[in-house]
Amino acid sequence: MWCSRCRTLIVRSTVFAALCIGFLAAVTTVSAQQPGLIANTDGRKTISLDGQWHTIIDPYESGYYDYRYQPSANGYFKDAKPKSKSDLIEYDFDTSDSLKVPGDWNTQTEQLLLYEGTIWYRKSFDYQRKENTRLFVYFGAANYLADVYLNGEKIGRHEGGFTPFNFEVTNLVRDKSNSLIVKVDNQRRRDAVPTLITDWWNYGGLTRQVKLVETPASFVQDYFIQLQKGSRNQIKGWVRLNGQKLNQRVTVRIPEAGINKSFTANATGYAEIGFNADLTLWSPGNPKLYDVLIEAETDRVLDQIGFRSIEAKGTEILLNGRPIFLRGICIHEEAPFRGGRAYSREDAVTLLGWAKELGANFVRLAHYPHNELMLREADRLGIMVWSEIPVYWTILWENPATLENARNQLTEMITRDKNRAAVIVWSMANETPLGDARLSFLRKLVEQARSLDSSRLVSAAMERHYVDEQTQMIDDPLGEYLDVLGCNEYVGWYDGLPEKADRLEWKMKYQKPLIMTEFGGEAPYGHHGDPLTRWTEEYQENVYLHQVNMLKRISFLRGTCPWILMDFRSPRRPLPGIQDFHNRKGLISDRGEKKKAFYVMQKYYRELETTVPK
Ligand code: GCU
């Protein structure tokens, strides 16, 4: 019997249920068959799919579910067209509006500023297929849940708004008018990562570049080429091939250093690599990047890689064996001047340029992996990076799917950026509440991070507590498993008045380096008054003056990261005429205006620059 409303065959509910399960199983197996993440797409042959995409706003997910809230086999992903004058098709991408990709949808039209839900994106493209060539569609990121289809076929699903993913389309692509459709859903969920509440705007959409990546039938899919932990001349890593021809000869060349080392990949296409190299080490003072060629018999990829060692010894952080102080600043991935998600090299150059002006040699990219262009710019500018996954505040610690999701985002973050010399710290979380379930959850992430990359420091931004009126204690049990500890404190803003910092002593349970990963206060640029009047630049300046004096007294402090470089949009900040849905803790306004507190930090960092070696 045909259902009159949705024209789907409903004979016996069990048959229908079996159909759905078969359909979902097909989806998962499709994504299961997909190769892992392709590293360094800029070092390969790519075709950009950026630009205007036709879109359909779908708050009720009518393009995905039928009226029985069952996944429909005839959803918008079919990109269907009426075949006759009496055919009933209730959507049409060609005559629908369009949105720019890359870009969040919230700042492209007033109507979508607060929109949380599904928007369908469609891009049509032609592609000349070639012998012995494979094709992948690569997304820099899509916030939050993306279902991807090509020519009506589901090719995969990705969860997580800040890490890249790719799907193979070699057997699905055709020469003419391919229809690439992405259902992007940024609805917040309690079991998601991040969960329901964040102090940043839930920008939705295809927020980063989308491209086609062409590879030979057997290609260099991924590689890890860095100095072994604590070594300044021992390169250790691996190369992974993908395809039929796997046990190939793999060669790593660093022409400028006269290095040309060959290894043999095993039957799974994995080649362990290791060799001595006398290289100029990457550092903020000399961010040396080498052209590195990774060659196999059937493929070659060029990358720019810096080599440096980073370790923690006692309360010291050692860069290339020498103690350093991380003069940092926190940054959200928000575009200066235009607002919305940052995604371009220009955005990165502006934001990191301001950090440099502040005197920073370190940035904490909060609270999620930022776009690859930001990391590569930090590599070029010599700015060290703290990179974090959005395990933020109170997620569902006991939910296995939440853990799997966090693990996946961690893997994708490390996979994409493990060859960036700038990245020195992987952060597992921000301001998460003490508890056994939380501790075991985060310990699993720490172990995973170490198994994926043993060459960097592992940390998290934690909280402190008072042991008495004057004494702050950092003794979060998670600290046991970390290399360096991050601590967020808002003495003078959420906790007392600015001068309170003068009376405080800091203690820490662990003989490890501390980075003060957040501190500060809020003031809209140009709002003036006396140093004790909230929301004035003078109050914010006052907070920083007392903070700097307090920070100087902490003997195990090895880094500072004020919250935050630039004012950013937040749904939790409604105060009219002051916040207007922006967090105003920036040292710089979202229009690039420097507040008085900026100069307090700049002065402190200039002092440090002269006293602590680069
Ligand atoms: C928190 C949090 C930030 C937030 C900041 C604030 O510590 O980590 O995401 O924006 O404080 O309250 O301004």
Side-chain angles (χ1 to χ4, degrees):
M1 170 184 73
W2 289 92
C3 158
S4 59
R5 175 140 354 130
C6 70
R7 299 177 58 70
T8 315
L9 177 64
I10 302 180
V11 196
R12 298 266 172 280
S13 60
T14 44
V15 175
F16 187 78
L19 266 177
C20 290
I21 293 158
F23 173 68
L24 286 173
V27 167
T28 39
T29 44
V30 164
S31 44
Q33 279 147 7
Q34 286 296 343
L37 202 53
I38 297 174
N40 180 22
T41 54
D42 289 344
R44 302 168 191 270
K45 179 140 182 5
T46 61
I47 300 161
S48 172
L49 294 178
D50 291 348
Q52 291 297 321
W53 289 49
H54 279 290
T55 53
I56 299 176
I57 302 169
D58 186 9
Y60 283 47
E61 299 180 277
S62 322
Y64 189 81
Y65 295 106
D66 64 22
Y67 79 118
R68 292 272 180 259
Y69 200 55
Q70 294 299 323
S72 157
N74 288 311
Y76 294 173
F77 51 84
K78 286 294 181 192
D79 199 2
K81 288 283 179 199
K83 291 193 183 55
S84 73
K85 65 179 179 190
S86 33
D87 232 4
L88 170 60
I89 305 286
E90 296 186 276
Y91 67 93
D92 180 3
F93 279 104
D94 290 332
T95 53
S96 297
D97 292 341
S98 64
L99 286 171
K100 184 177 158 317
V101 171
D104 62 275
W105 60 57
N106 310 73
T107 54
Q108 294 195 45
T109 73
E110 194 50 38
Q111 169 209 23
L112 292 174
L113 181 61
L114 285 160
Y115 181 67
E116 292 187 300
T118 283
I119 293 187
W120 294 84
Y121 286 76
R122 195 249 2 230
K123 187 76 174 177
S124 305
F125 65 91
D126 298 342
Y127 173 73
Q128 187 51 55
R129 285 173 299 170
K130 305 175 187 71
E131 284 300 301
N132 284 328
T133 301
R134 295 167 66 186
L135 191 69
F136 301 82
V137 59
Y138 180 96
F139 297 85
N143 193 49
Y144 173 77
L145 187 62
D147 290 290
V148 185
Y149 306 81
L150 184 67
N151 299 334
E153 297 299 321
K154 178 93 179 230
I155 57 176
R157 160 175 280 203
H158 182 266
E159 178 160 358
F162 305 100
T163 46
F165 53 100
N166 49 244
F167 301 120
E168 179 156 16
V169 293
T170 309
N171 305 329
L172 274 176
V173 73
R174 54 191 182 218
D175 294 342
K176 285 280 170 240
S177 57
N178 289 282
S179 164
L180 177 63
I181 290 181
V182 190
K183 173 186 185 295
V184 183
D185 176 4
N186 76 333
Q187 280 181 77
R188 289 168 290 125
R189 296 194 332 264
R190 183 70 189 89
D191 65 334
V193 179
T195 182
L196 293 171
I197 304 177
T198 64
D199 192 28
W200 69 79
W201 206 263
N202 182 24
Y203 291 117
L206 296 177
T207 53
R208 295 179 189 158
Q209 297 172 325
V210 182
K211 58 185 98 171
L212 296 173
V213 181
E214 236 181 44
T215 73
S218 297
F219 68 101
V220 175
Q221 179 197 318
D222 195 2
Y223 49 86
F224 185 22
I225 304 174
Q226 285 278 287
L227 282 173
Q228 186 162 12
K229 185 138 190 146
S231 162
R232 284 183 282 293
N233 60 4
Q234 183 57 43
I235 301 270
K236 193 167 176 321
W238 47 264
V239 174
R240 178 174 297 290
L241 303 179
N242 181 306
Q244 302 310 314
K245 204 167 176 307
L246 292 177
N247 56 354
Q248 295 188 27
R249 196 177 154 73
V250 168
T251 304
V252 175
R253 296 183 206 286
I254 310 181
E256 195 185 337
I259 287 171
N260 184 337
K261 301 284 180 189
S262 291
F263 308 86
T264 305
N266 64 21
T268 67
Y270 183 80
E272 193 91 28
I273 68 163
F275 54 88
N276 264 7
D278 178 15
L279 299 167
T280 303
L281 299 181
W282 182 99
S283 70
N286 179 15
K288 172 66 184 167
L289 298 177
Y290 284 90
D291 278 354
V292 178
L293 270 163
I294 300 96
E295 289 179 349
E297 293 148 32
T298 56
D299 190 18
R300 71 204 301 261
V301 179
L302 172 64
D303 203 343
Q304 288 67 42
I305 300 181
F307 299 91
R308 52 97 194 92
S309 79
I310 188 76
E311 314 154 73
K313 264 214 172 71
T315 59
E316 292 301 339
I317 298 176
L318 307 179
L319 175 71
N320 301 330
R322 296 173 57 195
I324 54 165
F325 188 93
L326 303 175
R327 304 188 310 271
I329 184 76
C330 294
I331 301 181
H332 254 304
E333 189 174 55
E334 191 139 311
F337 309 113
R338 73 171 189 278
R341 274 277 167 251
Y343 56 75
S344 67
R345 182 157 183 232
E346 292 65 40
D347 295 336
V349 168
T350 303
L351 293 168
L352 295 177
W354 286 341
K356 279 253 178 190
E357 251 184 90
L358 184 70
N361 61 6
F362 176 63
V363 290
R364 175 180 176 216
L365 302 182
H367 293 289
Y368 37 77
H370 288 210
N371 66 78
E372 189 172 352
L373 295 165
M374 187 71 156
L375 282 301
R376 287 192 179 268
E377 204 52 41
D379 250 8
R380 265 189 290 275
L381 291 173
I383 296 183
M384 294 172 281
V385 169
W386 163 300
S387 187
E388 184 165 291
I389 52 172
V391 174
Y392 180 88
W393 288 348
T394 310
I395 65 169
L396 286 184
W397 309 109
E398 286 155 281
N399 181 351
T402 303
L403 175 61
E404 210 35 53
N405 180 351
R407 281 180 180 282
N408 184 49
Q409 295 190 40
L410 179 64
T411 303
E412 290 173 350
M413 172 175 79
I414 295 179
T415 300
R416 189 194 72 186
D417 299 331
K418 61 187 176 299
N419 292 307
R420 304 282 72 75
V423 179
I424 60 167
V425 181
W426 300 121
S427 169
M428 304 302 110
N430 178 73
E431 290 187 359
T432 47
L434 302 185
D436 297 346
R438 169 255 190 187
L439 185 60
S440 97
F441 186 110
L442 295 179
R443 283 189 58 188
K444 291 190 181 99
L445 294 182
V446 171
E447 280 148 27
Q448 180 169 335
R450 293 194 193 290
S451 68
L452 290 168
D453 172 17
S454 60
S455 72
R456 287 181 175 83
L457 305 172
V458 174
S459 188
M462 298 173 288
E463 297 175 297
R464 34 90 212 202
H465 62 92
Y466 282 87
V467 282
D468 60 39
E469 276 281 306
Q470 268 74 40
T471 310
Q472 301 279 297
M473 172 56 79
I474 302 171
D475 57 4
D476 184 325
L478 179 64
E480 182 90 37
Y481 309 99
L482 304 176
D483 301 307
V484 292
L485 277 72
C487 180
N488 297 357
E489 53 87 8
Y490 282 93
V491 176
W493 186 254
Y494 297 123
D495 173 7
L497 296 176
E499 43 72 32
K500 181 176 182 177
D502 305 344
R503 304 191 294 276
L504 297 181
E505 289 313 313
W506 285 78
K507 290 202 169 17
M508 189 154 82
K509 178 176 171 193
Y510 311 98
Q511 269 304 317
K512 296 182 178 183
L514 171 68
I515 302 172
M516 206 62 90
T517 37
E518 286 185 36
F519 56 93
E522 283 192 57
Y525 174 77
H527 205 77
H528 293 290
D530 67 71
L532 283 177
T533 299
R534 291 267 174 177
W535 309 111
T536 63
E537 284 197 43
E538 287 70 21
Y539 188 104
Q540 187 191 39
E541 179 187 37
N542 193 7
V543 169
Y544 275 86
L545 288 167
H546 289 278
Q547 278 287 325
V548 167
N549 291 340
M550 177 188 74
L551 294 166
K552 286 178 179 173
R553 289 187 286 110
I554 304 176
S555 60
F556 43 85
L557 185 73
R558 292 296 176 274
T560 51
C561 268
W563 187 260
I564 185 164
L565 179 69
M566 182 184 84
D567 293 355
F568 61 96
R569 208 185 277 279
S570 166
R572 302 177 74 248
R573 312 288 171 173
L575 192 58
I578 299 273
Q579 296 175 313
D580 298 318
F581 287 108
H582 282 74
N583 181 313
R584 301 285 183 199
K585 291 193 180 72
L587 293 177
I588 301 177
S589 76
D590 47 327
R591 291 186 304 276
E593 302 139 324
K594 296 185 177 64
K595 304 175 191 177
K596 284 186 166 186
F598 176 95
Y599 301 102
V600 175
M601 278 315 289
Q602 189 184 53
K603 181 167 170 291
Y604 174 42
Y605 282 173
R606 293 220 167 116
E607 280 165 26
L608 281 172
E609 222 170 333
T610 48
T611 50
V612 180
K614 245 197 218 163

